[in-house]
Amino acid sequence: MDGILNIRKEEGMTSHDVVSCLRRIIGQKKIGHTGTLDPMATGVLPVCLGKATRVIEYLDADQKEYIAEMVLGRTYDTGDIWGKPLTECPADLVNQIGEDAVRSALQAQVGVISQYPPMYSAVKVNGRKLYEYAREGKEVERKARTVQIREIEILETDLGKGLASRIKFRMVSSRGTYVRTVCEEAGKNLGTGAAMSSLVRTRSGIFRISDARTLSEIKEMNEEERNAVLFHPEDVLTHLGRARLDEGSAESFLNGKVLNFSPEMEERAPEFQGRALPIPVPEKYSRSYAVFFEKIFLGIGEIKDGVLHPAKVFQDKEAFAEAAEK
């Protein structure tokens, strides 16, 4: 299979567990996921199969949407309720917190901000994952990351219940934003402490939870049904430009030859071309194109000095020759 499955990850699994299960279900080794989810988080996890693993590097700019819940009054070493308890606030102080204060504490983080990755995360420092240091009781220096929180909307509050007080909210953010850290910072602003108590990723780029399938559902499908829910690489590269070649140029592209890029080749410019962005994205995003011959997706090309370079070729030359004849 060559494409992307929109998997609905279940609680208690790592993202790596999902990939391992899919390898067994589908009987295919070349599989990789985009956008790691914590073990206790659920929701959208795009998983690339076969040739589609080559587009993972082009999906870094995808916006994420989450539905999260946090509880007030306690802090934990992991930033969520599944870690080791650190502090506890008196219940009467927690009960003084109202919805306006919660909204202000969350809204204070909307925009372009700096976040430090939690010690219990998969970010690597000196070749080791932070959670490996954390499990040894070590804390290492971490570099702050620039992230963007586009919006936070409070969906539900259940306040005035002491340490059972909770807030449910929706958040849209850039890749690499830690919702646990958002909850911790809100708790600091409120003076009570807070921790994330649940997390569902409802969207990652074009992938939405309404279209996501569980591993059990994928297992029950036959090959035809799996192919029917498979996203193709060209479906997910909507932020890249779109270029269309004639047959001769298409053959040259498939053979790895560079082409002079003329205006008539461009159907759509890359989304990030010429834009000042609050969060930097890889420079190649502003010069990359999904390349087609008629309706046949050939691959990804990058423009350098007015020349189109084949960066990722997806179409088989023999299959292309057959399709072009039809």
Side-chain angles (χ1 to χ4, degrees):
M1 295 179 72
D2 295 306
I4 303 102
L5 286 173
N6 181 9
I7 298 298
R8 183 166 185 160
K9 190 185 91 64
E10 297 173 73
E11 190 174 297
M13 303 183 74
T14 66
S15 299
H16 180 72
D17 290 338
V18 173
V19 169
S20 297
C21 287
L22 273 176
R23 285 196 177 111
R24 292 193 297 271
I25 291 170
I26 297 173
Q28 183 170 321
K29 287 186 177 180
K30 198 171 184 180
I31 300 179
H33 67 81
T34 74
T36 302
L37 277 175
D38 290 339
M40 301 312 290
T42 65
V44 172
L45 182 70
V47 180
C48 299
L49 296 87
K51 292 180 182 179
T53 56
R54 302 171 70 203
V55 305
I56 291 175
E57 64 184 278
Y58 290 90
L59 302 180
D60 280 355
D62 283 349
Q63 293 283 319
K64 321 289 185 185
E65 181 185 70
Y66 300 93
I67 300 295
E69 185 178 275
M70 68 177 182
V71 291
L72 300 181
R74 290 194 179 101
T75 63
Y76 298 79
D77 60 351
T78 56
D80 56 41
I81 62 170
W82 300 284
K84 177 184 176 182
L86 296 178
T87 65
E88 185 174 302
C89 181
D92 59 336
L93 294 181
V94 175
N95 288 339
Q96 294 176 22
I97 302 298
E99 186 171 325
D100 288 343
V102 172
R103 183 174 288 103
S104 295
L106 288 171
Q107 289 298 320
Q109 299 179 74
V110 173
V112 178
I113 62 171
S114 291
Q115 270 195 348
Y116 286 91
M119 278 303 301
Y120 280 91
S121 67
V123 173
K124 286 188 176 181
V125 173
N126 297 325
R128 298 185 67 196
K129 294 176 180 177
L130 284 174
Y131 66 72
E132 294 174 337
Y133 291 107
R135 287 171 180 171
E136 295 172 0
K138 300 175 182 176
E139 183 155 347
V140 297
E141 187 176 346
R142 293 152 283 164
K143 291 183 179 179
R145 290 178 164 188
T146 301
V147 299
Q148 182 186 28
I149 298 177
R150 294 187 62 181
E151 55 182 294
I152 294 180
E153 175 191 8
I154 292 178
L155 301 178
E156 259 177 56
T157 59
D158 192 9
L159 302 174
K161 295 190 174 179
L163 299 179
S165 299
R166 62 179 186 85
I167 299 97
K168 186 177 184 179
F169 63 94
R170 182 182 69 87
M171 185 178 101
V172 179
S173 64
S174 64
R175 174 188 180 275
T177 307
Y178 285 93
V179 186
R180 285 180 285 154
T181 303
V182 171
C183 295
E184 285 185 303
E185 289 300 315
K188 288 178 185 177
N189 290 339
L190 292 168
T192 61
M196 188 178 76
S197 52
S198 74
L199 182 67
V200 182
R201 184 156 66 196
T202 53
R203 179 170 62 84
S204 177
I206 70 164
F207 301 99
R208 298 179 180 277
I209 198 165
S210 56
D211 303 317
R213 308 302 174 103
T214 65
L215 289 174
S216 298
E217 288 174 322
I218 296 295
K219 187 175 182 179
E220 293 300 316
M221 292 178 181
N222 58 37
E223 185 177 351
E224 183 179 352
E225 290 169 331
R226 289 171 188 162
N227 280 320
V229 298
L230 199 66
F231 288 77
H232 299 288
E234 61 267 34
D235 299 329
V236 303
L237 299 173
T238 55
H239 55 294
L240 301 189
R242 189 179 178 99
R244 194 171 298 277
L245 307 181
D246 59 33
E247 188 171 348
S249 297
E251 289 175 353
S252 295
F253 182 90
L254 295 179
N255 284 311
K257 296 179 181 179
V258 299
L259 301 164
N260 288 325
F261 192 68
S262 57
E264 59 267 21
M265 291 179 178
E266 184 180 76
E267 290 193 339
R268 182 183 71 220
E271 180 182 344
F272 302 117
Q273 190 177 84
R275 286 178 56 190
L277 300 170
I279 300 293
V281 299
E283 194 272 332
K284 64 184 177 183
Y285 285 11
S286 64
R287 51 181 168 82
S288 293
Y289 288 76
V291 181
F292 290 80
F293 166 69
E294 295 183 352
K295 294 184 179 180
I296 302 171
F297 175 60
L298 305 177
I300 299 170
E302 293 183 18
I303 305 295
K304 298 176 184 176
D305 299 321
V307 176
L308 179 67
H309 295 255
K312 306 276 184 181
V313 174
F314 286 83
Q315 181 65 41
D316 179 82
K317 286 184 282 187
E318 292 183 5
F320 170 74
E322 290 179 12
E325 286 178 4
K326 293 181 179 180

PDB file of all heavy atoms in Angstrom, residues 96-109:
ATOM      1  N   GLN A  96     -11.914  29.579  44.669  1.00  0.00           N
ATOM      2  CA  GLN A  96     -12.005  31.019  44.414  1.00  0.00           C
ATOM      3  C   GLN A  96     -11.821  31.352  42.932  1.00  0.00           C
ATOM      4  O   GLN A  96     -12.058  32.480  42.506  1.00  0.00           O
ATOM      5  CB  GLN A  96     -10.947  31.761  45.236  1.00  0.00           C
ATOM      6  CG  GLN A  96     -11.173  31.681  46.742  1.00  0.00           C
ATOM      7  CD  GLN A  96     -10.051  32.347  47.523  1.00  0.00           C
ATOM      8  OE1 GLN A  96      -9.322  33.192  47.001  1.00  0.00           O
ATOM      9  NE2 GLN A  96      -9.914  31.979  48.793  1.00  0.00           N
ATOM     10  N   ILE A  97     -11.411  30.364  42.153  1.00  0.00           N
ATOM     11  CA  ILE A  97     -11.150  30.591  40.731  1.00  0.00           C
ATOM     12  C   ILE A  97     -12.460  30.571  39.947  1.00  0.00           C
ATOM     13  O   ILE A  97     -13.249  29.632  40.045  1.00  0.00           O
ATOM     14  CB  ILE A  97     -10.198  29.519  40.162  1.00  0.00           C
ATOM     15  CG1 ILE A  97      -8.874  29.521  40.933  1.00  0.00           C
ATOM     16  CG2 ILE A  97      -9.971  29.729  38.667  1.00  0.00           C
ATOM     17  CD1 ILE A  97      -8.108  30.816  40.850  1.00  0.00           C
ATOM     18  N   GLY A  98     -12.680  31.633  39.155  1.00  0.00           N
ATOM     19  CA  GLY A  98     -13.876  31.711  38.316  1.00  0.00           C
ATOM     20  C   GLY A  98     -13.529  31.538  36.842  1.00  0.00           C
ATOM     21  O   GLY A  98     -12.352  31.507  36.453  1.00  0.00           O
ATOM     22  N   GLU A  99     -14.560  31.462  36.019  1.00  0.00           N
ATOM     23  CA  GLU A  99     -14.341  31.214  34.590  1.00  0.00           C
ATOM     24  C   GLU A  99     -13.578  32.349  33.917  1.00  0.00           C
ATOM     25  O   GLU A  99     -12.755  32.112  33.032  1.00  0.00           O
ATOM     26  CB  GLU A  99     -15.680  30.997  33.873  1.00  0.00           C
ATOM     27  CG  GLU A  99     -15.515  30.590  32.419  1.00  0.00           C
ATOM     28  CD  GLU A  99     -16.817  30.162  31.769  1.00  0.00           C
ATOM     29  OE1 GLU A  99     -17.660  29.562  32.458  1.00  0.00           O
ATOM     30  OE2 GLU A  99     -16.977  30.431  30.563  1.00  0.00           O
ATOM     31  N   ASP A 100     -13.808  33.583  34.317  1.00  0.00           N
ATOM     32  CA  ASP A 100     -13.080  34.707  33.715  1.00  0.00           C
ATOM     33  C   ASP A 100     -11.578  34.587  33.959  1.00  0.00           C
ATOM     34  O   ASP A 100     -10.767  34.881  33.066  1.00  0.00           O
ATOM     35  CB  ASP A 100     -13.584  36.036  34.268  1.00  0.00           C
ATOM     36  CG  ASP A 100     -14.974  36.395  33.743  1.00  0.00           C
ATOM     37  OD1 ASP A 100     -15.396  35.786  32.732  1.00  0.00           O
ATOM     38  OD2 ASP A 100     -15.627  37.276  34.337  1.00  0.00           O
ATOM     39  N   ALA A 101     -11.205  34.178  35.162  1.00  0.00           N
ATOM     40  CA  ALA A 101      -9.784  34.019  35.487  1.00  0.00           C
ATOM     41  C   ALA A 101      -9.168  32.902  34.647  1.00  0.00           C
ATOM     42  O   ALA A 101      -8.035  33.019  34.156  1.00  0.00           O
ATOM     43  CB  ALA A 101      -9.610  33.725  36.971  1.00  0.00           C
ATOM     44  N   VAL A 102      -9.916  31.813  34.466  1.00  0.00           N
ATOM     45  CA  VAL A 102      -9.428  30.696  33.649  1.00  0.00           C
ATOM     46  C   VAL A 102      -9.242  31.142  32.205  1.00  0.00           C
ATOM     47  O   VAL A 102      -8.224  30.852  31.561  1.00  0.00           O
ATOM     48  CB  VAL A 102     -10.408  29.508  33.715  1.00  0.00           C
ATOM     49  CG1 VAL A 102     -10.002  28.428  32.715  1.00  0.00           C
ATOM     50  CG2 VAL A 102     -10.452  28.932  35.126  1.00  0.00           C
ATOM     51  N   ARG A 103     -10.229  31.873  31.703  1.00  0.00           N
ATOM     52  CA  ARG A 103     -10.150  32.343  30.318  1.00  0.00           C
ATOM     53  C   ARG A 103      -8.930  33.246  30.125  1.00  0.00           C
ATOM     54  O   ARG A 103      -8.202  33.123  29.130  1.00  0.00           O
ATOM     55  CB  ARG A 103     -11.428  33.087  29.937  1.00  0.00           C
ATOM     56  CG  ARG A 103     -11.455  33.556  28.477  1.00  0.00           C
ATOM     57  CD  ARG A 103     -12.784  34.171  28.079  1.00  0.00           C
ATOM     58  NE  ARG A 103     -13.832  33.136  27.967  1.00  0.00           N
ATOM     59  CZ  ARG A 103     -14.770  32.919  28.860  1.00  0.00           C
ATOM     60  NH1 ARG A 103     -14.817  33.661  29.963  1.00  0.00           N
ATOM     61  NH2 ARG A 103     -15.665  31.972  28.694  1.00  0.00           N
ATOM     62  N   SER A 104      -8.689  34.124  31.063  1.00  0.00           N
ATOM     63  CA  SER A 104      -7.532  35.018  30.963  1.00  0.00           C
ATOM     64  C   SER A 104      -6.221  34.241  31.000  1.00  0.00           C
ATOM     65  O   SER A 104      -5.280  34.555  30.263  1.00  0.00           O
ATOM     66  CB  SER A 104      -7.550  36.043  32.113  1.00  0.00           C
ATOM     67  OG  SER A 104      -8.666  36.895  32.010  1.00  0.00           O
ATOM     68  N   ALA A 105      -6.157  33.220  31.861  1.00  0.00           N
ATOM     69  CA  ALA A 105      -4.935  32.424  31.982  1.00  0.00           C
ATOM     70  C   ALA A 105      -4.631  31.650  30.709  1.00  0.00           C
ATOM     71  O   ALA A 105      -3.468  31.468  30.336  1.00  0.00           O
ATOM     72  CB  ALA A 105      -5.060  31.454  33.166  1.00  0.00           C
ATOM     73  N   LEU A 106      -5.670  31.208  30.026  1.00  0.00           N
ATOM     74  CA  LEU A 106      -5.475  30.485  28.768  1.00  0.00           C
ATOM     75  C   LEU A 106      -5.209  31.448  27.619  1.00  0.00           C
ATOM     76  O   LEU A 106      -4.306  31.227  26.800  1.00  0.00           O
ATOM     77  CB  LEU A 106      -6.699  29.614  28.470  1.00  0.00           C
ATOM     78  CG  LEU A 106      -6.873  28.379  29.357  1.00  0.00           C
ATOM     79  CD1 LEU A 106      -8.230  27.729  29.118  1.00  0.00           C
ATOM     80  CD2 LEU A 106      -5.761  27.359  29.115  1.00  0.00           C
ATOM     81  N   GLN A 107      -5.979  32.540  27.551  1.00  0.00           N
ATOM     82  CA  GLN A 107      -5.822  33.486  26.455  1.00  0.00           C
ATOM     83  C   GLN A 107      -4.456  34.174  26.484  1.00  0.00           C
ATOM     84  O   GLN A 107      -3.965  34.626  25.444  1.00  0.00           O
ATOM     85  CB  GLN A 107      -6.930  34.543  26.505  1.00  0.00           C
ATOM     86  CG  GLN A 107      -8.307  34.023  26.122  1.00  0.00           C
ATOM     87  CD  GLN A 107      -8.367  33.513  24.689  1.00  0.00           C
ATOM     88  OE1 GLN A 107      -7.793  34.095  23.778  1.00  0.00           O
ATOM     89  NE2 GLN A 107      -9.068  32.399  24.490  1.00  0.00           N
ATOM     90  N   ALA A 108      -3.839  34.232  27.645  1.00  0.00           N
ATOM     91  CA  ALA A 108      -2.511  34.843  27.762  1.00  0.00           C
ATOM     92  C   ALA A 108      -1.476  34.087  26.928  1.00  0.00           C
ATOM     93  O   ALA A 108      -0.401  34.625  26.624  1.00  0.00           O
ATOM     94  CB  ALA A 108      -2.077  34.884  29.224  1.00  0.00           C
ATOM     95  N   GLN A 109      -1.786  32.870  26.554  1.00  0.00           N
ATOM     96  CA  GLN A 109      -0.835  32.055  25.793  1.00  0.00           C
ATOM     97  C   GLN A 109      -1.138  32.034  24.293  1.00  0.00           C
ATOM     98  O   GLN A 109      -0.405  31.408  23.523  1.00  0.00           O
ATOM     99  CB  GLN A 109      -0.829  30.633  26.338  1.00  0.00           C
ATOM    100  CG  GLN A 109      -0.409  30.571  27.803  1.00  0.00           C
ATOM    101  CD  GLN A 109      -0.438  29.156  28.338  1.00  0.00           C
ATOM    102  OE1 GLN A 109       0.420  28.340  28.026  1.00  0.00           O
ATOM    103  NE2 GLN A 109      -1.442  28.848  29.153  1.00  0.00           N
TER     104      GLN A 109
END
